[in-house]
Amino acid sequence: MCVVRCIEGTARLGMVFRHPGSAADAGTATPGFLLTAMEWYGRQVEQLDAVHSGKVTLTGAGAETPAKRDVLKSAPIHRAGPGATPPRIAALPGGPAG
């Protein structure tokens, strides 16, 4: 579990996130952090809107590696259309990732 802030867009269950600049951005690897659970003020939720913080569970290869202040960007498969801004989340200090 990691404490994050949604800094852009809306993060939803089932989205895939990665570190910008990773091999996945270059098309040489598959993105690997699947968003499997979200908690907001003690309640399980299905989405986290921009500027809100919550606890999330990421699964997949390297999902335990985000450090505080790392910014994770959603994989291109989640973009709404041409020019749409992909959701981004940032790990916050104080959680297991901090």
Side-chain angles (χ1 to χ4, degrees):
M1 189 164 285
C2 179
V3 177
V4 300
R5 175 171 298 240
C6 188
I7 57 175
E8 197 166 16
T10 298
R12 292 182 175 83
L13 288 179
M15 286 185 144
V16 177
F17 286 85
R18 63 172 183 251
H19 285 100
S22 69
D25 275 338
T28 59
T30 13
F33 305 146
L34 178 64
L35 181 54
T36 58
M38 283 190 274
E39 185 180 308
W40 183 70
Y41 288 100
R43 290 184 14 217
Q44 294 296 314
V45 294
E46 294 189 15
Q47 69 181 43
L48 193 62
D49 295 324
V51 307
H52 290 278
S53 298
K55 293 180 183 178
V56 300
T57 301
L58 299 169
T59 60
E64 69 285 345
T65 60
K68 62 182 172 185
R69 307 224 190 285
D70 276 359
V71 174
L72 304 177
K73 184 171 77 171
S74 70
I77 58 173
H78 300 296
R79 295 188 184 159
T85 303
R88 296 186 310 149
I89 58 176
L92 298 175

